Amino acid sequence: MHASLESQGYIVATAADAHTALDMVRRHTADLVVLDLGLPDMDGLDVVSQIRDGGENLPIIILSSRENESAKVKAFDLGADDYVTKPFGIDELLARIRTAQRHRLQQEGERPLFHAGDLSVDLVRRIVTVRGSEVKLSPREYEVLRLMVAHAGKVLTHRFMLGKCGAATPTYNICVSIFVPCARRSRQTPSGLPYPHRNRRRLSSPRAGQ
């Protein structure tokens, strides 16, 4: 599953236990949670409850071999967005992920499709096109572009962009510092997208993370 999701352009971070997963959610390093109920240190439904009690509204998709209706009802009542019964096909999971993302965008008032000049970004299918031709971006480059789309017309500092993209790591620092000006020089992003603030190019607070 990890490889299949990455092949679709997703940045995938895995957690071997509930406490690690909850820590990742608290650090805002995830946009969506795919949660297996069979965890070694805590019932998966308790994880759902703790995520929602913490005020997080990111989509949660449950994976479980529990087919009884009462388990599904409890999961939904606790705040799960979807419930996938094992075994399942990867195409089905991808479709459910796209649906969960679409619903979240609608709840937050964002448009699933962004258009500005020659640029089009499908925020659900993660497809970027310029003048009708698809532009291939790495997962991290896409995350930077998605952040720019979400704040179109605004000035963004490098620190803000690094924080929102997950973590202030050298990899993201390079991605923000190089991808944005290169995209502008190649005219792959129109003037409606924000410039990083020119006076905030340096970042001196590297942190561990994805």
Side-chain angles (χ1 to χ4, degrees), residues 5 41 94 109 112 119 124 131 145 172 188 194-195:
L5 291 173
D41 56 341
L94 289 169
L119 174 71
V124 175
R131 293 182 288 276
L145 178 60
Y172 267 121
Q188 290 186 347
Y195 276 106

Side-chain angles (χ1 to χ4, degrees), residues 29 46 51 69-70 77 92 94 108 117 120 139 149 164 168 174:
T29 59
D46 292 332
I51 291 175
E69 183 180 357
S70 60
D77 285 343
E92 177 187 357
L94 289 169
E108 295 179 349
S120 295
V149 165
K164 289 294 185 179
I174 293 171

Side-chain angles (χ1 to χ4, degrees), residues 30-205:
D31 295 315
L32 179 143
V33 173
V34 178
L35 176 65
D36 194 314
L37 294 186
L39 297 171
D41 56 341
M42 186 186 301
D43 188 285
L45 294 178
D46 292 332
V47 175
V48 177
S49 180
Q50 289 196 32
I51 291 175
R52 293 304 185 223
D53 288 345
E56 300 290 346
N57 64 351
L58 75 172
I60 301 174
I61 299 176
I62 297 291
L63 305 181
S64 178
S65 57
R66 306 175 194 176
E67 298 183 1
N68 55 308
E69 183 180 357
S70 60
K72 296 179 181 180
V73 171
K74 185 175 182 180
F76 286 126
D77 285 343
L78 288 172
D81 294 271
D82 204 348
Y83 193 107
V84 183
T85 304
K86 300 177 183 178
F88 57 87
I90 190 64
D91 287 340
E92 177 187 357
L93 179 60
L94 289 169
R96 291 176 182 266
I97 288 174
R98 290 193 297 268
T99 299
Q101 290 177 313
R102 188 181 300 111
H103 288 167
R104 185 190 187 193
L105 289 171
Q106 292 172 345
Q107 290 173 352
E108 295 179 349
E110 294 185 43
R111 295 166 292 174
L113 293 174
F114 174 86
H115 299 284
D118 295 327
L119 174 71
S120 295
V121 183
D122 187 328
L123 296 170
V124 175
R125 296 183 178 275
R126 302 171 71 89
I127 297 175
V128 179
T129 60
V130 175
R131 293 182 288 276
S133 298
E134 185 173 351
V135 178
K136 296 295 185 181
L137 301 178
S138 72
R140 295 194 186 279
E141 288 172 340
Y142 175 82
E143 291 303 318
V144 174
L145 178 60
R146 188 185 67 164
L147 181 63
M148 294 170 68
V149 165
H151 297 274
K154 300 178 182 178
V155 175
L156 305 181
T157 66
H158 274 63
R159 186 178 298 276
F160 174 83
M161 294 179 73
L162 288 166
K164 289 294 185 179
C165 284
T169 65
T171 300
Y172 267 121
N173 198 357
I174 293 171
C175 187
V176 170
S177 298
I178 296 178
F179 167 70
V180 175
C182 283
R184 287 197 175 280
R185 282 197 298 270
S186 63
R187 296 186 179 181
Q188 290 186 347
T189 56
S191 58
L193 292 180
Y195 276 106
H197 198 289
R198 295 182 183 276
N199 296 326
R200 296 290 295 279
R201 284 187 173 274
R202 296 190 60 188
L203 180 69
S204 57
S205 57

